Amino acid sequence: MRILLMGPPGAGKGTQAVVLADRLGVPHISTGDIFRANVAGGTPLGVEAKRYMDAGEYVPDSVTNDMVRDRLTHDDAKNGFLLDGYPRTLAQVSELDSMLGQDAALDRVVELTADTEEVVARLLNRALDQGRADDTEDVIRRRLEVYAEQTAPLTAVYADRGLLTQVDGMGAVDEVTGRILAELGV
């Protein structure tokens, strides 16, 4: 299966991506992991990405697209994958479409949904546990607003294509995994 997993910060997307990829026998492809691997490996794309990251700037779509395109060519992704963190913009949706072509298009897009107040509480607890002093309630709420603003156009595109499934991301990890697998028919 070729799946895109979306969800707001704190909805458990990262946790579910790892569990689902293992259960489905496909690689978990995270843009964060791709950036770190390319930077650590000193690849030309990694060197370019690091330049932006070190300056505190957003890595341009062209670099992100090239990294994802390269990662999707690896043998482990030939029979499916779970994308996490990409695409994030309408331009990236179009780029992903061209990367995959019609023969290898996405099978499903799963958006984890979550109650805003529960997510804020979860992220505040995580910030406290991990010593993230800069993750204040205002910052967290702004991140959730940005996610909603940037993601709404993407979910609309995937809903129009009949690919979008929304799953409640709140609850125990196994419960959420079960809901996702049921929606995927697995």
Side-chain angles (χ1 to χ4, degrees), residues 105-184:
L106 291 172
D107 294 309
R108 293 297 281 278
V109 175
V110 176
E111 180 184 24
L112 292 179
T113 61
D115 176 76
T116 299
E117 296 311 311
E118 287 187 51
V119 166
V120 169
R122 184 184 280 183
L123 291 175
L124 285 172
N125 284 333
R126 185 168 76 185
L128 190 61
D129 290 345
Q130 297 178 1
R132 295 181 182 187
D134 55 339
D135 270 1
T136 64
E137 184 170 342
D138 288 343
V139 168
I140 290 167
R141 288 188 184 280
R142 180 62 190 143
R143 284 174 50 210
L144 292 169
E145 288 171 9
V146 168
Y147 172 81
E149 291 166 6
Q150 291 179 348
T151 306
L154 277 65
T155 56
V157 165
Y158 289 125
D160 287 347
R161 294 180 186 179
L163 296 174
L164 183 67
T165 298
Q166 293 181 315
V167 175
D168 181 3
M170 302 311 293
V173 172
D174 288 346
E175 292 172 6
V176 177
T177 302
R179 288 193 287 265
I180 295 170
L181 292 173
E183 287 293 330
L184 294 175

Side-chain angles (χ1 to χ4, degrees), residues 2 4 29 31 34-35 45 60-74 77-78 81 83 85-106 158 161:
R2 290 170 299 281
L4 165 60
I29 299 177
T31 50
I34 294 171
F35 284 155
L45 288 171
D61 276 359
S62 61
V63 175
T64 303
N65 292 338
D66 287 346
M67 286 185 181
V68 171
R69 179 180 292 105
D70 175 68
R71 179 61 184 90
L72 290 174
T73 65
H74 294 196
K78 297 253 187 261
F81 50 80
L83 278 175
Y86 182 91
R88 289 192 178 191
T89 65
L90 288 173
Q92 288 179 348
V93 168
S94 296
E95 190 64 29
L96 179 61
D97 288 345
S98 70
M99 285 179 212
L100 298 177
Q102 285 191 311
D103 294 336
L106 291 172
Y158 289 125
R161 294 180 186 179

